[in-house]
Amino acid sequence: MQVVGGMEASKNYNIAPTHVVPIVRNFRGAPTLGPATWGYPPKTVFNARGETAMHKPMFQGSDTCLFVMDGWYEWNAGDDGKKQPWFTHREDGKPILVAGLCKNFEGKVHATMVTTAATGDMEWLHHRMPRVLVGDEASTWLEGGEVAEMITHPAQDSWPELRSHKVGREVGSVRHNNAGLIEPVG
């Protein structure tokens, strides 16, 4: 895999929309790791519903890409009535590949994450989730093959085991960025 744009691998435990993130996309005929700003301007659209993304004018002309991550945060109502963050990750600790779309805006690459309906075992947390890609899906996604079908009908039976655990509310502020953010609390 090629690396472009001075992309350095660094740990980041609290990425938010408008931050620069590493994505994998086809560049000059090869899968390439490079930087992208998370969110499409002008309104920082950071998620694209898989069921409608291919039909929305905002996403027309987008290329496919992959977000590579250890996990993601989701918030829901906590026991105390306040919003509670949860960290979702693969049980085996391997990276998660998530479908994304990317596009050049004024000379900079921007990317948005594709979401789908939550799998049955994740619905308790939120009704939507990133579209996790498994097996050959990642290469098919990057090549642009049958992507509309892929994101509207996820192969959930082959997804890796995902686990979620409560984390501290400090994750709600990007001022906090350390490994303690993904540690279980309570």
Side-chain angles (χ1 to χ4, degrees):
M1 178 182 316
Q2 302 178 64
V3 178
V4 297
M7 194 81 234
E8 288 184 30
S10 63
K11 296 278 185 181
N12 194 330
Y13 299 93
N14 204 357
I15 296 172
T18 73
H19 285 182
V20 174
V21 298
I23 62 165
V24 176
R25 65 185 176 111
N26 278 328
F27 182 72
R28 297 185 181 160
T32 304
L33 178 69
T37 301
W38 183 19
Y40 274 23
K43 296 181 180 179
T44 312
V45 176
F46 56 92
N47 287 338
R49 292 178 68 89
E51 299 85 348
T52 60
M54 298 308 178
H55 308 291
K56 296 226 177 207
M58 171 176 282
F59 303 118
Q60 304 245 324
S62 294
D63 293 320
T64 55
C65 67
L66 303 173
F67 284 79
V68 183
M69 62 181 76
D70 291 325
W72 69 88
Y73 298 109
E74 192 62 69
W75 295 70
N76 70 6
D79 298 332
D80 59 3
K82 296 180 183 175
K83 290 181 94 179
Q84 172 63 53
W86 294 77
F87 180 66
T88 299
H89 56 95
R90 281 181 63 150
E91 185 174 35
D92 61 12
K94 293 180 181 177
I96 299 171
L97 300 177
V98 172
L101 297 172
C102 62
K103 195 175 192 180
N104 194 311
F105 290 90
E106 299 180 5
K108 291 186 179 180
V109 176
H110 288 255
T112 187
M113 198 173 299
V114 175
T115 65
T116 189
T119 59
D121 57 340
M122 297 297 294
E123 287 177 315
W124 66 270
L125 182 57
H126 195 275
H127 68 286
R128 307 279 311 161
M129 65 184 285
R131 175 48 170 100
V132 175
L133 299 172
V134 295
D136 293 338
E137 286 184 330
S139 58
T140 301
W141 180 256
L142 281 180
E143 293 164 7
E146 301 183 25
V147 294
E149 177 72 17
M150 181 185 298
I151 57 178
T152 57
H153 297 92
Q156 296 174 0
D157 58 332
S158 63
W159 280 18
E161 288 291 321
L162 298 174
R163 295 287 178 250
S164 300
H165 60 259
K166 288 182 185 180
V167 294
R169 290 185 173 106
E170 297 82 16
V171 75
S173 169
V174 293
R175 289 187 316 240
H176 303 285
N177 190 354
N178 59 69
L181 293 177
I182 63 173
E183 294 299 320
V185 298

